[in-house]
Amino acid sequence: MLWPRPLLGKEGATMHVKKYLLKCLHRLQKGPGYTYKELLVWYCDNTNTHGPKRIICEGPKKKAMWFLLTLLFTALVCWQWGIFIRTYLSWEVSVSLSVGFKTMDFPAVTICNASPFKYSKVKHLLKDLDELMEAVLERILAPELRHANATRTLNSSIWNHTPLVLIDERNPHHPVILDLFGDNHNGLTNSSASEKICNAHGCKMAMRLCSLNGTQCTFRNFTSATQAVTEWYSLQATNIFAQVPQQELVEMSYPGEQMILACLFGAEPCNYRNFTSIFYPHYGNCYIFNWGMTEKALPSANPGTEFGLKLILDIGQEDYVPFLTSTAGVRLMLHEQRSYPFIRDEGIYAMSGTETSIGVLVDKLQRMGEPYSPCTVNGSEVPVQNFYSDYNTTYSIQACLRSCFQDHMIHSCKCGHYLYPLPRGEKYCNNRDFPDWAHCYSDLQMSVAQRETCIGMCKESCNDTQYKMTISMADWPSEASEDWIFHVLSQERDQSTNITLSRKGIVKLNIYFQEFNYRTIEESAANNLVWLLSNLGGQFGFWMGGSVLCLIEFGEIIIDFVWITIINLVALAKSLRQRRAQASYSGPPPTVAELVEAHTNFGFQPDTAPRSPNTGPYPNEQALPIPGTPPPNYDSLRLQPLDVIESDSEGDAI
């Protein structure tokens, strides 16, 4: 038995799709009405919203009144919805403060000496600079003796590159500039005139920074000569140290075994081996206790001084670099484990000859992140290369800002600054290899655009811990006990029977938790999705008396409008196609006999030639055609409802 061969390929698939679409159109056309007016009347008559019902049921006057009221309240609802949605999309947060109590990890403690290097070890590097600095101070303190030491030989290359000058700004339109080591200022050669200007009120000191072989210069003004010479010396020392390998700089700084004389954490003794050493360009060798890099962070057993960290430090003030460091003491900072200590920005000083007690309180900050807060968890999405990643520390906004500045420095000045980490393949700035670096660095440091760019690119950390410190100080040791304390400490340090330590070089620190209460400052969404839906539904119910079902009804009528429009467009397209097909015929439509003849006789051609009035209706005495009935006029433009087609199964068989 032979079964009928099913339709295969594109034709079968196309026919199946056409049948399916036809059924869908029939099913959709069976909806609330066939016209827009009927659909609108059906919606107003059946919706749960009160206003449209009254528009249909009331008389003409009330119908107009209810139409205006419905339109007005609809506008009010849309206005209120816009306000609530805009408030929700503003991503506002509320801050909650909670207090907890638990055993906490002791913070990491970083200590640095105020002087980065021992003067006895860097004296040979700073010899020329120190001589030049002494000459500058002589010119400032005794300008009348400016020619007394003229025979001294100075390194003019350092001075000529970035000199200090005096500027008389009493006449802002014509300022007078005087070089400290020159008699020629603004074309004048009379030294007495220059000295008179320098002694006059309003003569300020400035640093001259030049580029392009001295053709383009700017002046950095100072209000005090102390600030001017300190900044100038620091800039020149940076140029010198940038040319020395870091390992040599580490050896020139203070070693841990000399700086840390005594250490006690709770009841456990410790020493310099319990500290991690890092080189910080501002302060030389710094030492971090409880950093948590190799071992687990140490917990604190109880609050109070007896359970904290106690240190006795020797800062060796007698070996400070005289012109580089004007502050004596210890710089210290408390921070989280595995975080890099930016001690210059966040640290505090502890005085020599004192016992400094630091009570610690803990604040934990928890931000929500995008889109509520512009913060980052680990800095992976921040478009700034972290130059502190070699330390394997966690992300911080300080590391991002300094890495961003160093990146701008490398691109603008073609070299990196000595105070920040250097990416591989780049060099630190110095006068020998980069003569214009000081001018470029000063411009970049004063650039507002550069700061705004870095602030816009960097993000705060979403989770942060801050240590609030309460600091108190007292003289240590007291006059009654200083002899025996210094004797013991001197014996322990260098096995000396004499006192080799003094009050000006000793610092004692006590760091402890004041209490085990910690505060958590946490962000939460001020306007969540539940708040938004509640307010939207409340406004819709108050002004329109509607609910979510009313919105579904409104969505339903929109879908019906769309489908009726599609049906009308399809019908219009078919009508236009049929009109174009009928317009292609020049004569009347063919009869049934002609259609049959054309179907059975392939050589049949209908007679379409014009007839002559003298001839008969059919020339050549042809027989009259058999009269026939015209073809039926099918209304193909109107789709019948689905109930007329009987059923789905019968429709499939069509």
Side-chain angles (χ1 to χ4, degrees):
M1 181 177 179
L2 297 175
W3 295 92
R5 188 176 181 180
L7 293 174
L8 298 174
K10 294 184 178 179
E11 295 182 358
T14 304
M15 184 174 297
H16 183 72
V17 171
K18 287 183 177 180
K19 285 185 178 182
Y20 182 76
L21 292 177
L22 183 63
K23 288 170 61 178
C24 290
L25 290 174
H26 281 301
R27 200 173 273 120
L28 287 169
Q29 196 182 18
K30 192 182 176 182
Y34 296 105
T35 63
Y36 295 114
K37 181 178 179 181
E38 292 173 354
L39 184 61
L40 186 61
V41 171
W42 174 87
Y43 172 74
C44 294
D45 195 30
N46 292 277
T47 183
N48 293 321
T49 310
H50 304 297
K53 285 185 176 181
R54 304 299 297 269
I55 295 175
I56 297 299
C57 300
E58 300 293 344
K61 293 183 180 179
K62 287 189 176 182
K63 185 181 295 186
M65 180 189 69
W66 277 104
F67 177 78
L68 293 176
L69 288 176
T70 302
L71 189 64
L72 174 63
F73 293 154
T74 302
L76 286 174
V77 169
C78 293
W79 174 58
Q80 291 289 335
W81 280 8
I83 292 177
F84 286 123
I85 292 174
R86 186 172 64 251
T87 303
Y88 175 75
L89 294 179
S90 64
W91 311 115
E92 296 179 354
V93 298
S94 60
V95 179
S96 60
L97 176 64
S98 59
V99 179
F101 178 84
K102 68 174 183 178
T103 301
M104 293 179 292
D105 291 336
F106 198 77
V109 180
T110 300
I111 55 173
C112 306
N113 202 327
S115 178
F117 305 107
K118 288 186 172 183
Y119 187 57
S120 59
K121 294 186 177 182
V122 297
K123 189 174 183 179
H124 66 284
L125 297 175
L126 303 177
K127 179 177 179 298
D128 293 339
L129 182 60
D130 289 345
E131 291 178 354
L132 192 58
M133 185 67 172
E134 293 174 358
V136 169
L137 294 177
E138 289 179 1
R139 299 300 191 275
I140 295 174
L141 298 176
E144 67 279 0
L145 301 176
R146 59 186 302 150
H147 300 290
N149 296 325
T151 58
R152 181 190 299 181
T153 58
L154 301 175
N155 189 344
S156 60
S157 62
I158 298 178
W159 181 259
N160 293 335
H161 190 271
T162 309
L164 287 172
V165 297
L166 295 172
I167 302 178
D168 184 4
E169 294 182 337
R170 288 176 297 179
N171 186 356
H173 299 288
H174 299 285
V176 180
I177 301 173
L178 171 66
D179 193 327
L180 288 177
F181 290 97
D183 294 331
N184 187 10
H185 79 290
N186 285 9
L188 297 178
T189 58
N190 190 350
S191 62
S192 61
S194 63
E195 293 171 4
K196 186 176 181 180
I197 293 176
C198 289
N199 293 329
H201 179 70
C203 191
K204 303 291 181 65
M205 184 166 286
M207 188 189 307
R208 186 170 65 191
L209 304 170
C210 297
S211 63
L212 301 176
N213 296 325
T215 58
Q216 181 179 353
C217 297
T218 59
F219 294 90
R220 184 179 176 186
N221 297 337
F222 298 92
T223 57
S224 171
T226 302
Q227 294 177 337
V229 296
T230 301
E231 291 293 328
W232 177 82
Y233 189 93
S234 177
L235 183 66
Q236 300 302 327
T238 297
N239 167 66
I240 295 173
F241 293 136
Q243 304 177 53
V244 181
Q246 182 171 323
Q247 185 59 37
E248 295 184 16
L249 296 177
V250 171
E251 295 175 357
M252 296 175 184
S253 186
Y254 290 83
E257 59 270 20
Q258 179 180 345
M259 182 175 175
I260 303 171
L261 298 180
C263 176
L264 186 67
F265 180 70
E268 297 293 331
C270 51
N271 55 35
Y272 70 94
R273 294 185 181 89
N274 299 109
F275 290 75
T276 303
S277 175
I278 65 171
F279 182 78
Y280 201 88
H282 287 99
Y283 301 107
N285 292 338
C286 294
Y287 302 93
I288 308 177
F289 177 79
N290 193 33
W291 203 9
M293 285 295 187
T294 57
E295 298 178 357
K296 188 177 179 181
L298 298 174
S300 181
N302 284 299
T305 309
E306 297 301 320
F307 301 95
L309 177 66
K310 302 180 181 66
L311 295 173
I312 299 177
L313 306 175
D314 177 18
I315 62 175
Q317 188 178 164
E318 66 280 356
D319 205 8
Y320 271 28
V321 181
F323 300 121
L324 184 61
T325 305
S326 58
T327 303
V330 171
R331 188 79 170 174
L332 65 95
M333 175 184 171
L334 309 182
H335 54 97
E336 287 186 280
Q337 278 76 28
R338 302 182 64 85
S339 65
Y340 188 85
F342 293 93
I343 192 168
R344 188 186 187 192
D345 305 316
E346 303 176 13
I348 60 173
Y349 276 115
M351 292 174 55
S352 59
T354 62
E355 178 177 350
T356 303
S357 297
I358 301 175
V360 182
L361 296 175
V362 182
D363 286 346
K364 295 185 177 181
L365 305 180
Q366 298 179 2
R367 301 179 178 89
M368 290 193 65
E370 297 289 349
Y372 295 95
S373 301
C375 67
T376 178
V377 177
N378 54 14
S380 59
E381 67 272 22
V382 176
V384 176
Q385 181 183 357
N386 186 9
F387 295 152
Y388 292 86
S389 58
D390 292 341
Y391 294 94
N392 196 26
T393 53
T394 58
Y395 172 86
S396 65
I397 190 172
Q398 293 90 347
C400 180
L401 292 174
R402 281 148 187 80
S403 298
C404 182
F405 178 84
Q406 185 75 308
D407 184 67
H408 282 84
M409 185 80 183
I410 292 173
H411 284 82
S412 300
C413 309
K414 310 305 178 184
C415 59
H417 198 276
Y418 162 73
L419 299 179
Y420 308 106
L422 191 67
R424 296 179 180 177
E426 302 295 338
K427 297 179 62 177
Y428 280 124
C429 297
N430 59 81
N431 295 341
R432 182 186 60 191
D433 299 328
F434 307 95
D436 299 339
W437 80 270
H439 180 272
C440 179
Y441 167 69
S442 179
D443 289 345
L444 194 63
Q445 190 180 31
M446 302 299 295
S447 174
V448 177
Q450 182 274 329
R451 290 197 297 269
E452 292 180 348
T453 300
C454 291
I455 291 174
M457 295 173 65
C458 295
K459 297 181 180 180
E460 290 183 315
S461 178
C462 291
N463 298 313
D464 193 12
T465 301
Q466 296 181 353
Y467 297 96
K468 306 296 182 181
M469 295 177 287
T470 302
I471 304 172
S472 60
M473 291 181 294
D475 288 339
W476 184 88
S478 64
E479 293 182 359
S481 59
E482 64 179 356
D483 289 339
W484 74 266
I485 289 179
F486 287 147
H487 267 106
V488 172
L489 291 176
S490 299
Q491 174 68 23
E492 292 176 344
R493 187 184 72 165
D494 50 18
Q495 304 299 318
S496 175
T497 57
N498 298 324
I499 296 178
T500 57
L501 295 174
S502 63
R503 181 182 298 274
K504 65 179 182 180
I506 293 296
V507 177
K508 186 177 182 182
L509 296 176
N510 296 322
I511 304 171
Y512 57 93
F513 281 121
Q514 280 187 306
E515 54 188 23
F516 271 4
N517 291 337
Y518 66 94
R519 299 187 305 174
T520 301
I521 303 173
E522 185 176 5
E523 290 183 348
S524 60
N527 307 311
N528 54 21
L529 188 59
V530 175
W531 173 89
L532 177 64
L533 295 177
S534 299
N535 283 279
L536 295 182
Q539 292 298 319
F540 188 52
F542 178 75
W543 293 107
M544 300 290 293
S547 62
V548 178
L549 296 177
C550 298
L551 296 178
I552 296 176
E553 291 175 351
F554 186 71
E556 180 186 8
I557 191 176
I558 291 178
I559 295 175
D560 290 336
F561 263 88
V562 171
W563 276 110
I564 291 177
T565 302
I566 293 175
I567 292 173
N568 291 338
L569 292 175
V570 171
L572 179 61
K574 289 185 176 180
S575 175
L576 292 176
R577 259 198 324 268
Q578 186 175 10
R579 289 177 183 176
R580 293 194 191 98
Q582 291 178 355
S584 62
Y585 291 100
S586 59
T591 63
V592 174
E594 291 176 343
L595 291 174
V596 172
E597 180 68 19
H599 182 71
T600 57
N601 184 7
F602 294 101
F604 173 78
Q605 297 292 336
D607 187 9
T608 57
R611 298 182 181 133
S612 174
N614 298 328
T615 60
Y618 295 95
N620 300 328
E621 297 181 355
Q622 293 180 355
L624 293 174
I626 301 174
T629 58
N633 186 13
Y634 296 99
D635 185 11
S636 60
L637 297 181
R638 182 161 180 86
L639 296 173
Q640 295 182 355
L642 189 62
D643 51 359
V644 180
I645 305 180
E646 294 182 356
S647 67
D648 290 342
S649 60
E650 294 177 356
D652 292 336
I654 295 175

